[in-house]
Amino acid sequence: MIKEFNPEQTDRIIEMAWEDRTPFEAIEFQFEISEAEVIELMRKELKFSSFKLWRKRVNSGVSHKHLKKRSDEISRFKCSRQRAISHNKISKR
């Protein structure tokens, strides 16, 4: 069962899910939804072909969507310009 989000929240979750540097843990921290719920949301909101591309990207070695798989050189999960880009509450810390 997926939680209900307003359009802005849904857009932000999708944006964060597409970003390579944003791990699922950051999405869970901000929106209180699990990786499985993010996948369900992406499946529901994206076109089938876009969803397939996203899943392939997340499951490939390119993505850093899981903190345990990411390099020790990456110490944060947000862009230095993120505060100026969005209203993400993590960026306002």
Side-chain angles (χ1 to χ4, degrees), residues 33-91:
I33 61 171
S34 67
E35 177 182 346
E37 291 170 313
V38 171
I39 293 168
E40 187 178 338
L41 176 89
M42 296 292 277
R43 182 177 283 126
K44 177 182 158 194
E45 295 293 328
L46 298 179
K47 293 187 298 184
F48 181 71
S49 59
S50 297
F51 175 76
K52 280 178 52 177
L53 285 171
W54 175 74
R55 286 299 290 158
K56 184 177 180 181
R57 184 179 178 91
V58 168
N59 290 331
S60 73
V62 174
S63 180
H64 301 286
K65 296 304 286 183
H66 298 90
L67 287 177
K68 291 179 183 176
K69 292 183 181 179
R70 115 187 335 211
S71 166
D72 291 336
E73 295 172 7
I74 301 172
S75 62
R76 64 178 202 258
F77 55 75
K78 67 178 183 121
C79 173
S80 60
R81 298 176 314 279
Q82 187 171 3
R83 184 174 186 174
I85 295 171
S86 71
H87 301 292
N88 183 347
K89 67 183 178 184
I90 292 174
S91 67

